[in-house]
Amino acid sequence: MEDHKKENSISLSPLRISLLYIGVLMGAGFASGKEIWQFFGVFGGKGLFGIILISVIFISLGYIIVSISRALDTGDLSKIIVPFNNRLVENIIGGVVASFIFLGYFSMLAAGGAIAQEQLGIHRAIGSFILMVLVVLTIIKGFSRVSDRLGKVVPVLLITTLVLVFFIITQYFENISTEQVVTA
């Protein structure tokens, strides 16, 4: 029993947690450049303030969640949200979180099927099925495997993004406009 516990324990350093957090945000699409530009770019110079503000909010929320988790010595989200023992509230929170995960999973399958059809010419149902199999295989391998993979991919993604941002700013700075863009 103790060997099994050691085998499944995960060493999460602050750097690993940070990389996982960035990977989840970037992987979920919120932090991809195109979506940020589409959402904040229409506001011109004020949009830059919005990008900085949302970055501070994400960093702060991540720090708060990790701090509460460490103080309570738990990884259970319902215990982090409601630190007192109330089984009913914990079950409700668990149900809400499970519902969001369930909805996100099917949204991801639909998007994966659409991308497979658009990019590869594969019928979207087949693309969704392939993605479903990949997700199930990932889940079977467990969190430590996902954490390990993200720990290797996210630094490359982050460095590439920062290099591209630096290149775009240095090469095309004069073309960057802070004027508000309005489309009909």
Side-chain angles (χ1 to χ4, degrees), residues 4 7-8 105 131-147:
H4 179 68
E7 186 178 300
N8 286 335
Y105 174 68
L131 183 59
M132 180 185 68
V133 170
L134 292 172
V135 169
V136 168
L137 289 174
T138 301
I139 292 169
I140 290 172
K141 295 293 184 177
F143 179 76
S144 60
R145 184 70 163 241
V146 173
S147 170

Side-chain angles (χ1 to χ4, degrees), residues 13-160:
S13 68
L15 177 63
R16 170 70 48 116
I17 292 171
S18 299
L19 292 174
L20 287 171
Y21 192 64
I22 291 168
V24 168
L25 288 177
M26 291 177 89
F30 178 85
S32 70
K34 184 177 179 181
E35 284 81 8
I36 288 177
W37 181 251
Q38 287 175 337
F39 188 81
F40 292 106
V42 296
F43 298 108
K46 293 177 184 175
L48 180 60
F49 174 74
I51 292 170
I52 292 169
L53 179 64
I54 200 69
S55 298
V56 168
I57 290 171
F58 270 126
I59 291 167
S60 299
L61 287 174
Y63 180 79
I64 289 167
I65 290 169
V66 169
S67 296
I68 293 171
S69 176
R70 288 181 112 188
L72 297 175
D73 194 30
T74 185
D76 184 355
L77 187 60
S78 63
K79 298 259 189 235
I80 293 170
I81 295 172
V82 182
F84 53 87
N85 286 329
N86 185 325
R87 186 49 109 190
L88 176 63
V89 174
E90 288 178 15
N91 288 338
I92 290 170
I93 291 171
V96 169
V97 170
S99 297
F100 276 108
I101 291 171
F102 183 75
L103 292 171
Y105 174 68
F106 282 100
S107 296
M108 183 176 66
L109 291 180
I115 289 171
Q117 184 173 8
E118 180 183 312
Q119 299 295 320
L120 305 173
I122 299 172
H123 191 273
R124 65 178 174 258
I126 295 171
S128 294
F129 178 77
I130 291 169
L131 183 59
M132 180 185 68
V133 170
L134 292 172
V135 169
V136 168
L137 289 174
T138 301
I139 292 169
I140 290 172
K141 295 293 184 177
F143 179 76
S144 60
R145 184 70 163 241
V146 173
S147 170
D148 183 51
R149 295 291 187 247
L150 281 174
K152 292 175 182 167
V153 171
V154 171
V156 173
L157 180 62
L158 191 59
I159 290 168
T160 303

